[in-house]
Amino acid sequence: MWNGTTPLLEATRLRSGYATGDVLQGISIGIAEGEIVGVLGRNGVGKSTLLRTLIGLLPARGGAITLRGQDITREAAHSRARRGIGYVPQGREIFPHMSVLDNIRMGTFVGTSRSDRAGGPDFDLIYRHFPFLRDRHAQRGGTLSGGQQEMLAIARALVNRPDILLLDEPSDGVQPNIVEAIGDAILALNAERNLTVLVVEQNIDLVQKIVGRAYVLDKGRVVRELTADEIKNTARLAEYLAI
Amino acid sequence: MDTLGLLASILYQFGTNAAFLLLAAIGLVVILGMMNIINLAHGELMMMGAYIATIVTHRGIPFPLAVLLAFLLVAMFGAALERVIIRRFYGHELGALVVTWGISLIMGQGTLLFFGPFMPSIGIPGGSFSLGAYSFATYWIVLIGVSAILIAALWWIYQNTRFGLMARATMQKAAMAEALGVNTDRVYMLTFALGSGLAGACGALLAPTVSISPLMGQQFVAPAFITVVVGGAANVLLGAIGSSLLLSAVKTPVGLLFGAFIGTVALLLTALIIIRLMPNGVSFYLQRFTERRVGA
């Protein structure tokens, strides 16, 4: 449903999974530059598997992934990250024994293989949206609360201005006011920087707040695409989140 | 004058014991501490460094250059080992233990085949001086300084360089580091090479103080593992410093009073007690202490 131009990130008939079998059964999605696209569906339909396959932590067993039209299906995860894909996994995966500052520094390799990269990492941008990170820069990552760790993981993925952000359930285990703050930050970055986001989310409020268009997954397939209007309809959306 | 001499002698013994433990352990600190590979070939990597230094010194190459050469050659050997063998055993600790044991046997016996059971060692560089009735080897004083510099340099590399940042992240969460653009495969290879190279350099540094033989590596393995395990995994570098000082603080006075053998027994007993009482190692407590100071 994107507007016909080459999508920034595209998956075509993507298959992937674990030893027990394929979880993704041929998924085709596309995200255009500047979009915030949601991936919805109940637990176990393959939402996180989709993001893990897109970043390259899980190998694709079939189909193709392209970034700006270039095939990255067989590339290692670190090469994809260096092309400019920022990834925030489920469970945040903060480096627990490293300081907050070192955790953010770990994001500075994202996008470094781009030919047109403008400037270095933007710590000011991160601190403007998540000011507590500056105050706690010497604290160990593992000592932060769940919500703070989520913000740190997002800051880490954003510091080197990725072209696209893959966000896996940012609201999971996070208190409501921090979910609100995360939503605000993403909307602001989308407006200021044209940040493109693919977000897996089950929280209706957050989906309605940030997502412009969404894919609904079931049993490893895209079963529906939701328009902005359909997402605004809370009753319908709740139905799809529980599909 | 003699009290001063005695004091200096005790301090000197303490320093040499701690430096020996640290030099024996440094390569293992990197490989076991950072990669969780129980490297039973550690002693043979040190032996390889000692052989390289001894052979090239006999050919007239200055000793400091020989140590550097030992570092480089053993590091390259380590990189090759990692590429060909070790990398197949990540996540299989027992497999890694067995395979490194096999490597140690091949290296030890191979050296015996090629170089025979004995090699004339190199003399201790530098002379000695005396203070009262006590005499001190200049070389051991240098070694104390070198071991401090080595551990400080290692600390600096891990805290302040890009490689250090990537390596620490890879050791904590390899998949996440990979997803953030770190070539974890390369980090593992470089880490194993660095640990091997350090083992080689330390073997070279200790070469003038021991007899050179194919099985000489064995004498370093036990002290190395004890130092690393007592140090603990919370912060391997801090742990190695803490445990080498602590173990030396036990071994030195007991050794002076009752002889070197009883001193070693006391060291082993202390290690046992520490591991029993502080299963997380010395560094766990040191780290908690430093964090309280940061105000975390």
Side-chain angles (χ1 to χ4, degrees):
Chain A
M1 237 173 280
W2 63 84
N3 51 21
T5 56
T6 313
L8 177 63
L9 182 68
E10 185 174 29
T12 320
R13 293 186 297 281
L14 193 62
R15 304 182 72 86
S16 138
Y18 304 91
T20 45
D22 285 359
V23 177
L24 306 185
Q25 310 273 356
I27 284 190
S28 299
I29 62 167
I31 305 106
E33 197 150 4
E35 272 194 303
I36 301 182
V37 176
V39 177
L40 315 178
R42 60 183 164 71
N43 284 329
V45 298
K47 304 186 299 290
S48 293
T49 306
L50 174 62
L51 292 201
R52 287 175 61 81
T53 311
L54 289 174
I55 187 65
L57 290 178
L58 267 180
R61 291 175 178 170
I65 304 165
T66 59
L67 182 70
R68 294 191 186 282
Q70 276 187 302
D71 190 339
I72 57 167
T73 318
R74 300 277 158 247
E75 254 182 33
H78 70 264
S79 310
R80 299 187 201 189
R82 290 191 173 225
R83 281 179 184 271
I85 304 180
Y87 174 56
V88 180
Q90 200 173 19
R92 319 175 242 284
E93 301 292 329
I94 286 303
F95 300 105
H97 303 296
M98 285 174 26
S99 69
V100 165
L101 182 60
D102 278 350
N103 265 284
I104 301 173
R105 279 197 187 121
M106 276 304 296
T108 59
F109 310 117
V110 172
T112 45
S113 72
R114 285 174 297 195
S115 49
D116 60 336
R117 60 184 291 249
D122 194 344
F123 285 86
D124 286 338
L125 176 81
I126 296 310
Y127 291 145
R128 197 163 72 239
H129 289 287
F130 306 110
F132 83 98
L133 292 174
R134 191 199 296 268
D135 308 328
R136 305 214 173 180
H137 71 276
Q139 196 172 326
R140 244 183 347 127
T143 62
L144 297 179
S145 75
Q148 289 171 332
Q149 288 191 12
E150 185 66 45
M151 291 192 275
L152 175 56
I154 293 172
R156 180 176 67 182
L158 286 176
V159 68
N160 231 25
R161 318 154 201 237
D163 295 349
I164 180 166
L165 183 66
L166 307 180
L167 258 182
D168 200 344
E169 294 219 35
S171 77
D172 188 28
V174 173
Q175 60 202 77
N177 63 324
I178 293 187
V179 174
E180 189 83 21
I182 290 171
D184 290 337
I186 288 166
L187 278 181
L189 287 161
N190 177 254
E192 286 167 33
R193 305 260 165 152
N194 206 28
L195 176 72
T196 310
V197 182
L198 181 65
V199 56
V200 165
E201 191 48 76
Q202 311 235 55
N203 178 317
I204 292 183
D205 293 339
L206 186 60
V207 170
Q208 289 186 324
K209 179 172 181 152
I210 64 174
V211 168
R213 178 168 78 81
Y215 293 97
V216 181
L217 261 52
D218 192 30
K219 295 185 183 127
R221 292 174 204 278
V222 174
V223 291
R224 246 203 97 98
E225 291 186 43
L226 302 182
T227 61
D229 289 339
E230 287 172 302
I231 291 166
K232 296 278 180 294
N233 184 334
T234 306
R236 289 286 296 279
L237 184 62
E239 197 180 302
Y240 287 119
L241 283 170
I243 200 165
Chain B
M1 187 64 200
D2 236 28
T3 4
L4 188 69
L6 179 68
L7 213 66
S9 168
I10 291 173
L11 212 61
Y12 169 81
Q13 288 294 336
F14 172 73
T16 51
N17 282 332
F20 176 81
L21 289 171
L22 212 51
L23 289 172
I26 279 180
L28 196 68
V29 164
V30 173
I31 290 173
L32 178 62
M34 303 283 172
M35 305 176 75
N36 209 15
I37 293 279
I38 299 172
N39 180 22
L40 288 182
H42 175 71
E44 277 62 36
L45 292 171
M46 291 186 73
M47 177 271 292
M48 189 179 173
Y51 265 78
I52 292 168
T54 306
I55 291 168
V56 302
T57 306
H58 282 318
R59 308 237 157 152
I61 290 185
F63 185 66
L65 216 59
V67 174
L68 194 67
L69 202 64
F71 173 82
L72 291 174
L73 290 179
V74 180
M76 278 159 64
F77 179 74
L81 264 188
E82 196 276 344
R83 278 298 85 159
V84 180
I85 301 170
I86 308 289
R87 63 181 313 194
R88 294 165 208 282
F89 294 91
Y90 292 142
H92 309 277
E93 280 166 42
L94 218 54
L97 182 146
V98 173
V99 81
T100 53
W101 183 52
I103 293 168
S104 84
L105 292 178
I106 293 169
M107 288 178 73
Q109 298 302 322
T111 308
L112 186 63
L113 265 170
F114 277 104
F115 295 100
F118 170 76
M119 175 167 287
S121 55
I122 35 182
I124 293 192
S128 62
F129 59 92
S130 52
L131 212 59
Y134 302 92
S135 100
F136 306 87
T138 318
Y139 185 63
W140 266 110
I141 308 241
V142 171
L143 278 190
I144 293 168
V146 168
S147 64
I149 289 168
L150 271 180
I151 200 96
L154 207 54
W155 176 277
W156 188 86
I157 287 172
Y158 274 96
Q159 293 302 320
N160 295 299
T161 66
R162 242 168 74 100
F163 167 74
L165 182 70
M166 289 179 172
R168 281 183 292 138
T170 303
M171 303 326 150
Q172 287 176 39
K173 297 202 164 176
M176 192 62 228
E178 176 79 26
L180 288 168
V182 175
N183 187 344
T184 50
D185 228 37
R186 211 167 130 254
V187 168
Y188 283 129
M189 184 187 75
L190 289 174
T191 304
F192 198 85
L194 178 66
S196 303
L198 284 170
C202 291
L205 285 167
L206 289 170
T209 71
V210 293
S211 52
I212 307 295
S213 75
L215 303 180
M216 64 179 282
Q218 296 304 319
Q219 67 188 305
F220 304 121
V221 174
F225 272 93
I226 290 167
T227 307
V228 176
V229 172
V230 167
N235 183 328
V236 283
L237 292 178
L238 202 61
I241 299 169
S243 77
S244 59
L245 292 176
L246 190 75
L247 292 173
S248 172
V250 172
K251 190 186 172 183
T252 307
V254 176
L256 282 174
L257 289 173
F258 305 105
F261 178 72
I262 303 289
T264 305
V265 172
L267 181 147
L268 291 172
L269 276 175
T270 312
L272 268 179
I273 292 164
I274 292 173
I275 292 165
R276 184 73 186 83
L277 294 181
M278 314 184 199
N280 294 316
V282 177
S283 67
F284 180 73
Y285 298 89
L286 287 173
Q287 178 143 315
R288 272 220 313 224
F289 175 72
T290 49
E291 259 171 20
R292 222 170 273 148
R293 275 193 11 226
V294 171

